[in-house]
Amino acid sequence: EADIYQTPRYLVIGTGKKITLECSQTMGHDKMYWYQQDPGMELHLIHYSYGVNSTEKGDLSSESTVSRIRTEHFPLTLESARPSHTSQYLCASSEARGAYNEQFFGPGTRLTVL
Amino acid sequence: QKEVEQDPGPLSVPEGAIVSLNCTYSNSAFQYFMWYRQYSRKGPELLMYTYSSGNKEDGRFTAQVDKSSKYISLFIRDSQPSDSATYLCAMSDYSSASKIIFGSGTRLSIRP
């Protein structure tokens, strides 16, 4: 079944640790996105990719980095986690044809940095 | 000022009621208007999508876009407890249709 997966679903980690949030999709989509969502707040785009070896920063400044070595995989890395990084991180993907394409979201990773 | 404003609620209504959810926006270049539904501990899922102005109906759900007033609405008829979720409006313009601007979401609870 075509879907988009995120692991881990929940992560509690200490300050200064390096973490990688995984996102994979089996939908055959070229475009992938990372959003940050705090409770009661908007989703903010932090990274996006139009395809392999393409990555762009989104509208919200983030200390995280991303890579896109394979079409189906779009991991997000924090080199040194801080309490200010505590948030929900949502991964999404969409097709690349046409002016508008529906974005499909994964279930999210809830990150807590102590 | 935020580009998209959405009443955060929470909104609690009895089962069977008609629900009206609304958003206003400031960017007149927006052409694509969406409503996403997000259940607790899940990612958002697209509920309705409208291009430019007008109405769109899908079962119990109706989306309206009034570009002259920069105002969009989602109506839910015969609301059910399973409709309890956070509803996010979202929109984008033609030049950057992949970059969606989201509202902060309205938390809706349908009481049995």
Side-chain angles (χ1 to χ4, degrees):
Chain A
E1 182 182 336
D3 211 338
I4 181 163
Y5 305 92
Q6 288 187 245
T7 56
R9 292 292 314 278
Y10 303 91
L11 180 61
V12 180
I13 202 160
T15 297
K17 300 290 186 184
K18 178 180 178 179
I19 59 169
T20 296
L21 308 184
E22 300 288 348
C23 176
S24 294
Q25 51 99 1
T26 56
M27 308 188 80
H29 290 163
D30 285 321
K31 293 183 178 178
M32 295 189 75
Y33 315 82
W34 275 103
Y35 289 89
Q36 190 171 335
Q37 183 184 31
D38 292 317
M41 301 293 288
E42 307 88 343
L43 275 74
H44 288 289
L45 181 67
I46 51 176
H47 297 282
Y48 60 101
S49 167
Y50 287 143
V52 171
N53 294 325
S54 150
T55 60
E56 301 286 345
K57 287 190 180 294
D59 299 322
L60 182 69
S61 175
S62 174
E63 293 164 348
S64 58
T65 59
V66 292
S67 63
R68 190 87 183 277
I69 298 171
R70 302 198 318 264
T71 300
E72 63 273 18
H73 194 214
F74 192 39
L76 180 146
T77 298
L78 276 166
E79 290 293 332
S80 180
R82 293 208 301 270
S84 61
H85 296 138
T86 294
S87 188
Q88 166 141 282
Y89 293 84
L90 289 160
C91 181
S93 70
S94 71
E95 292 183 342
R97 52 179 176 82
Y100 167 76
N101 300 108
E102 178 183 351
Q103 292 189 16
F104 294 83
F105 284 84
T109 294
R110 183 162 296 280
L111 173 65
T112 301
V113 183
L114 303 175
Chain B
Q1 184 188 359
K2 293 180 182 179
E3 280 192 281
V4 178
E5 297 276 0
Q6 184 173 8
D7 186 341
L11 185 61
S12 179
V13 301
E15 183 175 353
I18 296 174
V19 176
S20 172
L21 305 170
N22 312 293
C23 287
T24 59
Y25 63 94
S26 57
N27 188 346
S28 58
F30 285 145
Q31 295 276 12
Y32 303 96
F33 303 92
M34 296 142 272
W35 286 95
Y36 280 81
R37 179 175 60 195
Q38 185 174 20
Y39 290 114
S40 181
R41 299 187 184 86
K42 302 276 190 182
E45 57 178 343
L46 183 68
L47 191 60
M48 300 280 286
Y49 153 68
T50 310
Y51 173 69
S52 195
S53 280
N55 294 358
K56 187 172 186 178
E57 189 173 320
D58 184 2
R60 296 184 294 109
F61 299 88
T62 300
Q64 286 186 353
V65 175
D66 181 349
K67 291 190 71 180
S68 62
S69 302
K70 297 190 180 68
Y71 189 87
I72 70 170
S73 300
L74 177 71
F75 297 95
I76 307 174
R77 292 185 300 280
D78 187 24
S79 55
Q80 304 292 312
S82 58
D83 296 328
S84 298
T86 296
Y87 290 80
L88 303 133
C89 64
M91 44 202 82
S92 64
D93 62 41
Y94 185 84
S95 63
S96 57
S98 292
K99 296 175 77 173
I100 299 175
I101 309 299
F102 286 86
S104 55
T106 299
R107 208 162 160 193
L108 173 66
S109 175
I110 309 298
R111 306 188 302 271

